[in-house]
Amino acid sequence: EVQLVESGGGLVQPGGSLRLSCAASGFTLSHYWMHWVRQVPGKGLVWVSRITNDGSSTTYADSVKGRFTISRDTAKNTLYLQMNSLRAEDTAVYYCGRGGVTAALDYWGQGTLVTVSS
Amino acid sequence: EIVLTQSPGTLSLSPGERATLSCRASQSISNNYLVWYQQKPGQAPRLLIYGASTRATGIPDRFSGSGSGTDFTLTIGRLEPEDFAVYYCQQYTTSFTFGPGTKVDIK
């Protein structure tokens, strides 16, 4: 059974850093593109970042470019999102998702809440 | 960046009625890389349709997707109580974007 479990969210001050993890089971990360998507509670979905199956290419939304870094550890079958220079507008639930056929995210984690506030 | 517009913002219908949701793109979406998701309160999104018209595994056949280029439609044939939710479209060309969502609520 495919499962994605995020962790690492919490309260952080503006300017601070946080690393989110997404532990994958039931499949091998190195066979799929993986994504991070965020959602302010009560608002819509916003795509954040993507890493290709071989890890050779990463892409970011303009709003996080230069501050966030997506990576993975194939030995641990875990996806990461390193978030630096956090701002209040980064406050959201962060989901990891597996990229399936034709760019669809076919499995999603349950989300982890990041709150940026002093 | 391709911008997706969804209409209507809210659709108020009764169980058993047909729902028609629209997703319009600011530029043509190649290879029909257009996806639909359903999201219920407190839950992660669920994949419904990919490639504009292919139902994901386990999705009932009352859900159907159509369209090409810049205009796409999600149709729910007869609304079941569990279908009242928010629906998002998403595209991939050189980047990924989501539409703002359509809320289907009970009339």
Side-chain angles (χ1 to χ4, degrees), chain A residues 81-92:
Chain A
L81 186 67
Q82 177 67 44
M83 305 186 295
N84 298 331
S85 304
L86 282 162
R87 307 165 179 167
E89 54 265 36
D90 296 318
T91 294

Side-chain angles (χ1 to χ4, degrees), chain A residues 16 44 49 57:
Chain A
S49 182
S57 174

